[in-house]
């Protein structure tokens, strides 16, 4: 054996001896993380050592293991939706310490964790913007069959005929162009052509929590997040299988009856009219006439059960199913839902069936893949305008409803990778197909392709600087009768960057007192349209767009700060830019509803704006109560705001070889000028004991002042032109008051639930107040120009609005009883005072109704 070989062998032994010595000095910390109440494992939870210099992620069974040098460490255990738990752990050389941890959902409500504010986990208290969290228990307890029915219980959030409005940032735009971005599992879930949310596509039976961000969020989420975010995070399985079946039935009572003066003469009231819309009783009441008239010869018996849509007493029924289970490295979530409605609005009905699934497969501890899917099929008939509240207000004007057969589905493949440098990489994709096979030349079909790459890293070398960056693209093709029987394509390509940094670490709590957040986004929007689009569905008249290809790019920015002067007192301030590119529907829609024309505007410009907020979130503990009070002042401004406006207009059209100007009146999306919305938002969230009984509370008040920035007899400017008298009259119902349309200046919400017999018998009570909607389209109230002439007060809204000018106050109540731990029965009563009301004018809302619901958990 050569001397060189012997030298190398001894060198290796020498080196290995030191390696062995170094290894022997290491200690091992391991254990399992579980839910404190259910004892279920918590997969993908975080175990953070010290200031983040080391750590681990739990596996599918909640197990973790980390090797450390001998010493004393602060170990933080965290999981989304649970309160952090901090342990001081001392390890000796060679020790193997087993430390099993149980996490609770939060002794403090401020410990709730959200991901929407920064695209990464953030405690609610430390968020730099206003964010609200809705738990799935509220969805179940209130029998919310679609998520819009539960998010409107959050202070500052209003749903107007399916369109979300946060703090008055939106009005009503007739089914197109939402300023609030609906997301499911952090991906946009709006229709590609109209930017409209399909609320019933969201799986209410499989929700972990709903996060609602108030204010402009375009810097992180793009064009449609101008007014805020509603992000639905679905549930994944834990260690124990979970199966649940729920079924319900809703009975509607007879609406209230109102007597009022219908026609006011010089000598007093000319006619006493009775407002009544219980059409299912087969009678109609005509001005001053006490006789009854047989209304529908097609009515059948029995009237108390559902039958042919539009003829029997209205009712709703539904059933839903959910199952969540682990199979080794595979997570599987299944859900199904069927909804059946015969509406209290005559001729309106809804039949929807939906199936959804979520999968996740962990290839290694650092790499997981999966695919989620959702399929929805149904048919419906929608109601747009009533005839007249004094001529059966639940009947459609001109006997006009839109019948539709809908087919919608999406498939969402994704991948998540943690590399050796502890960077997180996400790839999220979606294919979303929508086919609305409607009558009245209103069909539309779209294909949406979505892809996003997201990178996230926390730089320990930079004292915990957190970076989230990404590239995102959305591509849509649309083929629609509704948009001039033409084919369109659009794209949205963007990149974003979010930086978060903490400062001034508190030695006692080891948390940062000051948190700064900065973000930006740059995106490019493109729409390709044909050179000629059919303008009038009834004739071959063509509209020639000024530019068949529109390309627009824009950067947007945001900044926010949160300061904790003492424990559970959080001061915050934020400013963020907003931006929204017009949807295909807003630029090209051409149709009519109830004989009222809705027309295109190919010259429509993007709207831009910003939103600023200052606020304080104060945690409290009073006797057995704990929770927080949140109060904020906000200021939002829009430039070139888009609103659907009923007004005269001119459109260049091509008929054969001739170009002419079409003069008409109708609804079309228009840039109405610069606007501002100021206000305050107060929320109180708490839980504790009331008279010794466990109680939860959600309540709040919102005030807004929505106005045009400039207002006198010659403003606002509409589409860059001084408005005509007719256009000004279309903006308001009483003179030219400077209040934006379809807003309630005051709103109050209250919801409380008490365990009369804890874990056995619960009761809940809800109140909602919305002040009078002072401005709507004048043509709704005073006159509607139709093909057969102008009719004054055709919808009878003048008297109806006079009766309800003090606003709407609604009361709901609920009780639930656990027969066993697995079986629960509930009764939910809504509109208990049986008040007649409308959220959107000329669209009557539900009278008193009561729901029986049964939930069984396997």
């Amino acid at each position: 054996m050569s001397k060189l070989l012997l030298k190398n062998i001894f060198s290796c032994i020498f080196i290995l001896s030191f390696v062995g010595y170094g290894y022997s000095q290491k200690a091992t910390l391991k254990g399992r993380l579980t839910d404190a109440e259910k004892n279920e494992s918590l997969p993908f939870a975080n175990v953070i050592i010290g200031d983040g210099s080391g750590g681990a992620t739990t596996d599918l069974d909640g197990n973790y293991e980390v090797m450390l040098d001998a010493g004393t460490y602060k170990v933080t255990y965290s999981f989304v939706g649970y309160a952090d738990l901090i342990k001081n752990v001392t390890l000796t050389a060679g020790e193997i310490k087993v430390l099993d941890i149980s996490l609770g959902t939060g002794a403090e409500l401020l410990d709730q964790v959200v991901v929407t504010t920064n695209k990464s986990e953030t405690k609610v208290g430390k968020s730099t913007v206003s964010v609200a969290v809705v738990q799935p228990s509220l969805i179940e307890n209130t029998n919310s069959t679609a998520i819009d029915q539960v998010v409107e219980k959050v202070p500052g959030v209003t749903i107007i005929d399916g369109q979300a409005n946060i703090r008055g940032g939106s009005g009503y735009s007739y089914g197109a162009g939402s300023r609030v971005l609906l997301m499911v599992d952090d991906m946009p879930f709006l229709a590609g052509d109209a930017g409209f949310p399909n609320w019933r596509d969201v799986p209410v039976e499989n929700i972990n929590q709903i996060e609602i961000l108030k204010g402009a969020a375009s810097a992180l989420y793009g064009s449609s997040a101008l007014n805020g975010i509603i992000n639905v995070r679905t549930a994944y399985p834990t260690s124990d299988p979970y199966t649940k079946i729920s079924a319900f039935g809703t009975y509607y009572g007879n609406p209230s009856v109102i007597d009022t003066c219908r026609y006011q003469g010089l000598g007093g009231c000319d006619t006493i009219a009775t407002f009544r819309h219980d059409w299912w009783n087969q009678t109609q009441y005509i001005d001053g006439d006490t006789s009854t008239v047989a209304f529908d010869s097609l009515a059948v018996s029995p009237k108390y059960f559902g039958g042919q849509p539009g003829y029997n007493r209205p009712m709703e029924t539904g059933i839903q199913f959910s199952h969540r289970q682990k199979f080794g490295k595979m997570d599987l979530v299944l859900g199904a839902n069927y909804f059946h409605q015969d509406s209290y609005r005559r001729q309106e009905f809804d039949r929807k069936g939906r199936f959804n699934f979520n999968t996740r497969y962990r290839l290694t501890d650092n790499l997981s893949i999966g695919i989620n899917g959702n399929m929805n099929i149904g048919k419906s008939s929608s109601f747009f305008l009533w005839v007249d509240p004094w001529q059966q207000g639940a009947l459609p004007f001109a006997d006009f409803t839109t019948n539709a057969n809908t087919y919608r589905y999406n498939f969402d493949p994704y991948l998540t990778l943690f590399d050796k440098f502890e960077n997180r990489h996400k790839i999220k994709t979606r294919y979303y197909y929508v086919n609305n096979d409607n009558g009245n030349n209103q069909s539309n079909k779209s294909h949406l392709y979505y892809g996003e790459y997201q990178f996230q890293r926390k730089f320990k070398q930079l004292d915990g600087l957190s970076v989230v960056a990404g590239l995102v693209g959305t591509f849509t093709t649309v083929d629609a009768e509704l948009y001039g029987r033409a084919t369109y394509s659009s794209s949205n390509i963007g990149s974003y960057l979010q930086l978060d940094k903490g400062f001034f670490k508190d030695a006692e709590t080891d948390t940062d007192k000051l948190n700064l957040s900065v973000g930006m986004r740059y995106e490019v929007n493109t729409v390709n349209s044909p050179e000629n689009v059919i303008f009038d569905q009834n004739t071959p008249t063509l509209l020639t767009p000024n530019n068949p290809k529109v390309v627009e790019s824009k950067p947007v920015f945001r900044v926010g700060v949160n300061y904790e002067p003492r424990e559970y007192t959080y001061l915050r301030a934020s400013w963020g830019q907003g931006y929204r590119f017009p949807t295909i529907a807003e630029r090209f829609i051409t149709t009519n509803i109830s004989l009222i024309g809705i027309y295109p505007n190919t010259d429509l410009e993007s709207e831009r704006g910003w939103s600023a907020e200052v606020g304080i979130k104060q945690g409290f503990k009073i006797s057995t109560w704990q929770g927080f009070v949140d109060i904020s002042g906000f200021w939002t401004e829009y430039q070139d705001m888009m609103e659907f406006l009923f007004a005269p207009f001119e459109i260049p059209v091509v008929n054969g070889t001739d170009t002419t100007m079409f003069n008409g009146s109708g609804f079309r999306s228009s840039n109405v000028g610069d606007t501002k919305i100021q206000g305050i938002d107060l929320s109180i969230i708490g839980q504790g004991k009331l008279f010794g009984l466990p109680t939860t509370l959600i309540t709040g008040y919102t005030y807004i002042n929505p106005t045009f920035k400039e207002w006198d007899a010659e403003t606002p400017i509409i589409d860059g032109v001084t408005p005509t008298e007719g256009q000004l009259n279309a903006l308001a119902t009483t003179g030219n008051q400077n209040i934006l349309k379809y807003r309630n200046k005051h709103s109050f919400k209250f919801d409380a639930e008490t365990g009369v017999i804890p874990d056995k018998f619960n009761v809940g009570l809800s109140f909602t107040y919305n002040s009078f909607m002072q401005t709507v389209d004048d043509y709704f109230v005073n006159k509607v120009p139709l093909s057969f002439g102008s009719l004054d007060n055709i919808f009878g809204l003048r008297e109806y609005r006079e009766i309800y000018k003090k606003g709407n106050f609604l009361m709901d109540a609920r009780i639930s009883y656990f027969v066993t731990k697995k079986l629960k029965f509930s009764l939910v009563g809504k509109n208990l005072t049986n008040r007649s009301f409308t959220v959107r004018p000329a669209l009557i809302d539900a009278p008193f109704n009561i729901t029986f619901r049964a939930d069984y958990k396997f």
Side-chain angles (χ1 to χ4, degrees):
M1 185 177 293
S2 68
K3 292 183 178 180
L4 180 61
L5 179 58
L6 287 172
K7 183 178 180 180
N8 288 337
I9 291 174
F10 280 113
S11 296
C12 290
I13 294 172
F14 181 79
I15 293 171
L16 288 173
S17 68
F18 274 93
V19 172
Y21 176 80
Y23 183 81
S24 69
Q25 302 308 301
K26 291 287 186 180
T28 301
L29 176 65
K30 66 179 184 178
R32 182 169 178 254
L33 265 67
T34 57
D35 181 294
E37 294 183 3
K38 303 176 182 178
N39 196 34
E40 297 175 340
S41 64
L42 299 178
F44 305 108
N46 295 315
V47 181
I48 304 169
I49 307 299
D51 59 358
S53 58
T57 302
T58 60
D59 63 18
L60 291 172
D61 296 317
N63 297 314
Y64 72 95
E65 182 174 331
V66 60
M67 296 188 67
L68 299 166
D69 293 327
T72 299
Y73 298 90
K74 183 199 74 171
V75 183
T76 302
Y77 298 90
S78 69
F79 189 66
V80 175
Y82 290 74
D84 288 356
L85 183 65
I86 300 175
K87 291 280 189 180
N88 290 316
V89 180
T90 300
L91 300 170
T92 59
E95 180 183 9
I96 299 176
K97 176 167 284 191
V98 178
L99 191 57
D100 293 331
I101 298 296
S102 295
L103 296 182
T105 53
E108 311 291 345
L109 289 173
L110 290 172
D111 287 330
Q112 289 179 317
V113 176
V114 296
V115 299
T116 308
T117 55
N118 297 328
K119 284 185 178 284
S120 60
E121 296 177 7
T122 305
K123 286 187 178 181
V124 169
K126 290 185 174 293
S127 175
T128 60
V129 295
S130 288
V131 61
V133 178
V134 175
Q135 298 297 337
S137 58
L138 186 61
I139 301 173
E140 177 182 312
N141 295 343
T142 57
N143 192 53
S144 298
T145 59
I147 67 163
D148 57 326
Q149 299 169 6
V150 70
V151 297
E152 64 181 351
K153 292 185 176 295
V154 174
V157 180
T158 304
I159 306 294
I160 302 178
D161 197 14
Q163 289 187 306
N165 172 334
I166 296 178
R167 293 173 170 175
S170 301
Y172 175 62
S173 56
Y174 306 94
S178 176
R179 294 190 184 97
V180 177
L181 177 61
L182 173 65
M183 305 180 70
V184 175
D185 290 330
D186 307 323
M187 286 196 291
F189 205 55
L190 298 177
D193 57 341
F196 189 77
N198 294 305
W199 300 104
R200 290 203 178 278
D201 287 5
V202 179
V204 292
E205 65 276 7
N206 274 322
I207 289 179
N208 180 48
Q209 68 182 29
I210 302 173
E211 301 171 5
I212 301 164
L213 187 152
K214 304 176 183 180
S218 294
L220 278 181
Y221 294 99
S223 174
S224 296
L226 181 64
N227 184 216
I229 303 282
I230 297 174
N231 187 14
V232 180
R233 300 177 60 201
T234 59
Y236 268 93
T238 54
S239 57
D240 297 326
Y242 172 95
T243 304
K244 189 173 186 178
I245 296 177
S246 305
F248 76 92
T250 299
Y251 168 87
Y252 286 90
N254 292 327
S256 57
V257 177
I258 303 168
D259 292 325
T260 188
C261 180
R262 181 69 198 277
Y263 301 111
Q264 187 76 32
L266 295 177
C269 186
D270 289 347
T271 306
I272 295 292
T274 300
F275 166 45
R276 185 168 187 163
H277 61 268
D278 54 339
W279 51 266
W280 51 88
N281 287 327
Q282 304 184 59
T283 58
Q284 67 174 348
Y285 290 74
I286 303 176
D287 301 344
D289 188 351
T290 59
S291 63
T292 61
V293 180
F295 188 73
D296 199 334
S297 61
L298 296 177
V300 295
S301 296
K303 291 192 294 182
Y304 295 98
F305 297 94
Q308 188 174 354
Y311 299 118
N312 289 336
R313 177 177 291 274
M315 66 175 297
E316 291 181 6
T317 57
I319 186 169
Q320 62 188 38
F321 162 84
S322 62
H323 178 75
R324 304 194 284 268
Q325 187 172 356
K326 289 178 176 294
F327 298 92
K329 293 185 176 183
M330 169 71 78
D331 293 347
L332 177 65
V333 178
L334 300 174
N337 182 295
Y338 177 72
F339 177 76
H340 179 111
Q341 179 199 61
D342 289 331
S343 177
Y344 48 88
R345 302 176 187 130
R346 187 179 182 274
Q347 297 183 20
E348 183 178 83
F349 65 91
D350 200 0
R351 314 280 189 265
K352 288 290 191 307
R354 176 174 46 74
F355 170 76
N356 67 280
F357 64 89
N358 288 9
T359 65
R360 178 170 60 190
Y361 185 77
R362 191 168 182 175
L363 294 168
T364 68
D365 288 343
N366 297 322
L367 175 62
S368 61
I369 61 174
I371 183 170
N372 303 336
N374 197 335
M375 287 147 278
N376 190 317
I377 185 171
K379 60 180 180 179
S380 62
S381 179
S382 59
F383 184 115
F384 184 65
L385 294 172
W386 66 29
V387 174
D388 182 330
W390 284 270
Q391 296 179 12
Q392 301 292 332
L395 301 182
F397 178 71
D399 206 33
F400 188 99
T401 57
T402 299
N403 296 308
N405 293 297
T406 58
Y407 312 90
R408 297 192 290 265
Y409 56 83
N410 62 277
F411 297 103
D412 308 338
Y414 68 91
L415 175 151
T416 301
L417 170 68
F418 292 88
D419 65 25
K420 63 181 180 179
F421 302 106
E422 299 182 12
N423 301 316
R424 188 183 73 178
H425 307 266
K426 278 188 174 182
I427 297 176
K428 300 183 291 185
T429 62
R430 166 171 290 162
Y431 170 66
Y432 186 20
Y433 173 76
V434 176
N435 184 353
N436 296 315
D437 184 11
N438 302 344
N440 307 313
N441 294 315
Q442 295 179 358
S443 294
N444 58 89
K445 183 188 300 182
S446 66
H447 303 263
L448 182 148
Y449 306 86
Y450 175 89
E452 178 180 359
Y453 165 73
Q454 183 185 109
F455 169 86
Q456 187 172 137
R457 179 170 183 173
K458 191 170 186 177
F459 289 89
K460 305 180 185 68
Q461 308 92 320
L462 299 176
D463 197 23
L465 173 68
S466 177
V467 176
V468 180
L471 299 172
V472 60
T474 303
F475 306 90
T476 305
T477 60
V478 179
D479 183 10
E481 293 178 330
L482 188 59
Y483 313 135
R485 302 176 193 169
T487 300
Y488 305 83
S489 64
S490 66
S491 66
N492 175 296
I493 302 174
S495 61
Y496 59 84
L497 174 66
Q498 173 78 26
L499 304 176
D500 294 278
K501 180 73 171 66
F503 302 90
F504 311 126
K505 190 175 293 293
D506 184 271
E508 183 176 343
T509 62
D510 199 32
T511 59
D512 296 314
K513 306 292 287 184
L514 179 69
N515 291 276
L516 178 66
S517 179
V518 178
M520 69 161 294
R521 184 186 186 97
Y522 184 82
E523 67 178 37
V524 179
N525 286 282
T526 304
V527 172
N528 293 285
S529 62
E531 293 186 0
N532 294 318
V533 180
I534 294 178
F535 169 63
D536 187 341
Q537 297 279 13
N538 299 314
T539 66
T541 304
L542 297 177
L543 168 71
T544 303
N546 289 339
N547 189 349
K549 181 176 182 178
V550 177
V551 181
E552 183 175 283
S553 60
K554 190 170 295 295
V556 285
F557 303 88
R558 70 173 291 264
V559 62
V561 62
N562 183 296
Y563 178 62
E564 185 181 6
R566 59 192 180 98
E567 191 174 14
Y568 293 123
T569 297
Y570 301 93
L571 306 175
R572 68 178 183 274
S574 64
W575 176 86
Q577 289 181 305
Y579 162 69
R580 190 170 75 84
F581 189 73
T583 63
I584 291 173
E586 288 171 299
R587 297 186 73 230
F588 294 103
I589 188 170
T590 170
T591 188
N592 64 78
I593 300 177
S594 296
L595 304 181
I596 298 172
I598 300 178
Y599 297 108
N601 186 353
T602 59
D603 297 327
L604 195 62
E605 301 288 338
S606 296
E607 56 185 357
R608 307 167 310 284
W610 55 265
S611 179
E613 176 189 32
V614 293
I616 179 172
K617 190 182 291 285
Q618 177 62 61
F620 65 83
K621 276 189 176 180
I622 304 174
S623 183
T624 62
W625 280 84
Q626 63 91 15
F628 63 83
V629 178
D630 187 298
I631 185 168
S632 59
F634 56 88
W635 186 311
T636 299
E637 292 195 4
Y638 294 121
Q639 291 80 51
D640 294 325
M641 188 177 196
M642 286 184 275
E643 293 269 85
F644 260 84
L645 183 67
F646 201 137
F649 60 86
E650 290 185 344
I651 293 181
V653 297
V654 177
N655 195 350
T657 58
D658 299 327
T659 300
T660 59
M661 297 301 294
F662 177 87
N663 295 287
S665 294
F667 283 109
R668 66 196 296 249
S669 189
S670 302
N671 296 110
V672 298
D674 298 342
T675 62
K676 63 181 178 182
I677 303 162
Q678 304 154 306
I680 59 172
D681 194 3
L682 169 68
S683 298
I684 302 175
I685 312 294
Q687 59 188 26
K689 289 189 176 181
L690 182 66
F691 304 112
L693 302 175
T695 302
T696 59
L697 172 69
I698 303 174
T699 187
Y701 164 76
T702 305
Y703 165 78
I704 62 171
N705 183 33
T707 62
F708 289 96
K709 291 182 66 174
E710 297 181 8
W711 182 268
D712 57 38
E714 300 298 327
T715 56
I717 301 300
I718 301 174
D719 290 338
V721 179
T722 300
T724 65
E725 182 180 356
Q727 288 175 311
L728 282 174
N729 288 339
L731 294 172
T733 60
T734 54
N736 294 334
Q737 58 182 334
N738 188 8
I739 300 175
L740 299 180
K741 296 184 299 178
Y742 302 110
R743 272 86 167 176
N744 308 102
K745 297 189 72 171
H746 303 271
S747 68
F748 170 76
K749 298 180 180 182
F750 173 92
D751 186 275
E753 183 162 320
T754 298
V756 177
I757 303 176
D759 300 322
K760 192 70 173 179
F761 180 64
N762 298 333
V763 298
L765 190 64
S766 295
F767 299 102
T768 301
Y769 170 76
N770 289 313
S771 64
F772 180 60
M773 188 177 286
Q774 293 177 265
T775 56
V776 299
D777 286 287
D778 183 68
Y779 282 89
F780 271 163
V781 177
N782 292 317
K783 54 182 178 296
V784 178
L786 303 173
S787 58
F788 46 83
S790 178
L791 302 179
D792 180 61
N793 194 28
I794 189 171
F795 298 125
L797 271 172
R798 191 181 301 157
E799 293 85 3
Y800 186 87
R801 285 170 57 81
E802 182 66 25
I803 294 173
Y804 294 107
K805 63 183 179 182
K806 293 184 179 180
N808 291 319
F809 179 84
L810 303 175
M811 180 173 68
D812 302 338
R814 58 187 184 267
I815 60 174
S816 60
Y817 179 73
F818 286 85
V819 180
T820 67
K821 290 184 177 180
K822 296 183 177 182
L823 177 62
K824 182 177 76 169
F825 292 138
S826 304
L827 282 177
V828 182
K830 298 181 179 180
N831 192 7
L832 296 182
T833 58
N834 202 23
R835 183 176 178 84
S836 172
F837 73 103
T838 63
V839 176
R840 195 263 285 167
L843 187 71
I844 199 72
D845 279 278
F848 162 76
N849 60 92
I850 189 166
T851 297
F852 174 77
R853 175 175 172 134
D855 296 275
Y856 185 77
K857 184 169 64 175
F858 294 86

